Amino acid sequence: LPGAGKRPSGFPVRAVVGPKMDAKSPSDAKGVAPELPDERSVTEKIDEGVKALKVSELDKLSGSDEDKEKFEDLYASLSKEYPDHLPLLISGLKYYDHKDRRANNLEKIVKIADCIVALIDEKDLAAHFGTEHDKEDAKACKEHKEMEEKKAFLVESLARKARAAADKKEGFSDALMHLKKWVDIDNSNLKYSILVLERDAQAGRSGSVLKLLNTLIKTNGEDTKGGICPLSKSELLERRAALFEKLGYSHLLTNDKKWRAIASPKSYALF
């Protein structure tokens, strides 16, 4: 072909593509946020390190009934030493809201949750999340991280308070309304299914309760993991059977009991 820059067979083009890098976490995929230099004094670093270590050691005691007395004594002591430390209060809230302890500690759960909510300025939190933060500004990124942590503490406290209020038969609607200002409990977020089931049951919406139970049973309750009350498949089946009995659906109840025996056998036959 005539003219400068023209070649009959074309110009060779070669591109080297590197291997795909799999992000280990969502934060890796978004990139690393810039960080401010640590300007704390040595004394401040030591004090905060000691505080974090104490809470960490407290958490280790929360998993065993044998350490019940140790946990409660240490928690009471640390609460006096650090009355405004949110991670400490969250640790106590989770401990008393454990399925094996919560029935006798509903008042304490509500009280701790109220303490956490009182320590978080919800107006500041709402103002922060109402605008986008500068992802390239270290100060803005640090503030955003702190606000995300506060929001997570607030949501967990309100959710656990709402569940305790439901069991107390007092203040459930108000607690749930407060929670819904911060998180959508109805649509995509099934971690709060226990609260939705309670709300719909109190409102007499048996069809909605049954629909949600069926949805959760299909995934063996996996969607509730990571929430304030994970539900196993056997627990979900028990709830559905109780609903069938309440509605007088004896034929469905009989059929459901057969499937419960198949789904959760107490033992297996030898080959």
Side-chain angles (χ1 to χ4, degrees):
L1 295 175
K6 300 293 181 69
R7 185 176 177 182
S9 59
F11 291 94
V13 177
R14 185 175 66 176
V16 178
V17 180
K20 180 182 177 182
M21 299 296 290
D22 294 324
K24 295 180 179 179
S25 67
S27 59
D28 292 337
K30 295 177 183 177
V32 179
E35 293 185 3
L36 284 173
D38 191 345
E39 297 179 348
R40 294 175 299 171
S41 67
V42 174
T43 302
E44 288 174 330
K45 290 179 182 178
I46 292 174
D47 289 343
E48 291 185 21
V50 169
K51 186 195 300 183
L53 179 61
K54 287 180 178 179
V55 175
S56 175
E57 291 301 313
L58 178 71
D59 285 336
K60 292 177 183 177
L61 298 174
S62 65
S64 172
D65 287 336
E66 295 178 0
D67 295 323
K68 176 179 180 292
E69 188 174 342
K70 292 180 182 178
F71 179 97
E72 293 178 2
D73 288 345
L74 181 56
Y75 177 73
S77 174
L78 293 178
S79 294
K80 292 178 182 178
E81 189 175 0
Y82 309 114
D84 301 336
H85 190 46
L86 289 173
L88 172 62
L89 292 171
I90 285 290
S91 180
L93 181 62
K94 289 181 178 180
Y95 172 81
Y96 287 110
D97 197 34
H98 187 275
K99 64 180 181 179
D100 295 333
R101 308 183 191 100
R102 65 186 314 278
N104 297 321
N105 291 290
L106 296 177
E107 290 287 351
K108 187 166 287 189
I109 292 166
V110 172
K111 183 179 179 180
I112 297 174
D114 283 339
C115 286
I116 294 170
V117 173
L119 289 170
I120 297 173
D121 190 325
E122 293 186 58
K123 289 183 179 179
D124 281 353
L125 208 60
H128 174 81
F129 285 103
T131 58
E132 284 289 331
H133 72 284
D134 186 351
K135 296 179 176 61
E136 296 183 0
D137 180 74
K139 184 177 180 180
C141 288
K142 181 182 178 183
E143 182 185 7
H144 182 67
K145 184 177 180 181
E146 291 172 352
M147 287 294 187
E148 282 189 322
E149 184 179 49
K150 285 183 179 180
K151 183 181 177 181
F153 287 159
L154 177 65
V155 168
E156 180 156 9
S157 300
L158 292 173
R160 293 184 184 277
K161 176 184 176 180
R163 187 178 174 220
D167 289 348
K168 287 177 59 186
K169 311 293 184 187
E170 179 185 345
F172 174 67
S173 297
D174 290 340
L176 194 65
M177 191 179 299
H178 195 170
L179 172 64
K180 288 172 68 177
K181 291 180 180 180
W182 293 102
V183 67
D184 181 6
I185 67 171
D186 284 291
N187 298 319
S188 59
N189 201 341
L190 295 175
K191 292 195 302 181
Y192 304 99
S193 294
I194 188 68
L195 299 178
V196 177
L197 290 170
E198 180 64 32
R199 180 200 64 191
D200 289 346
Q202 287 191 14
R205 295 193 286 265
S206 299
S208 296
V209 173
L210 181 58
K211 181 180 179 181
L212 180 53
L213 286 172
N214 287 336
T215 298
L216 297 173
I217 288 170
K218 286 179 181 178
T219 60
N220 297 327
E222 289 293 322
D223 295 322
T224 64
K225 287 186 176 179
I228 60 167
C229 180
L231 295 166
S232 66
K233 185 174 182 178
S234 61
E235 289 172 328
L236 292 166
L237 289 170
E238 285 176 11
R239 284 175 175 268
R240 188 170 69 178
L243 180 60
F244 285 156
E245 186 173 8
K246 178 182 176 182
L247 295 172
Y249 295 165
S250 56
H251 59 296
L252 292 177
L253 178 60
T254 301
N255 186 62
D256 207 49
K257 286 182 177 179
K258 292 178 181 177
W259 281 107
R260 284 170 62 190
I262 296 172
S264 304
K266 295 181 179 179
S267 61
Y268 295 91
L270 297 174
F271 289 101

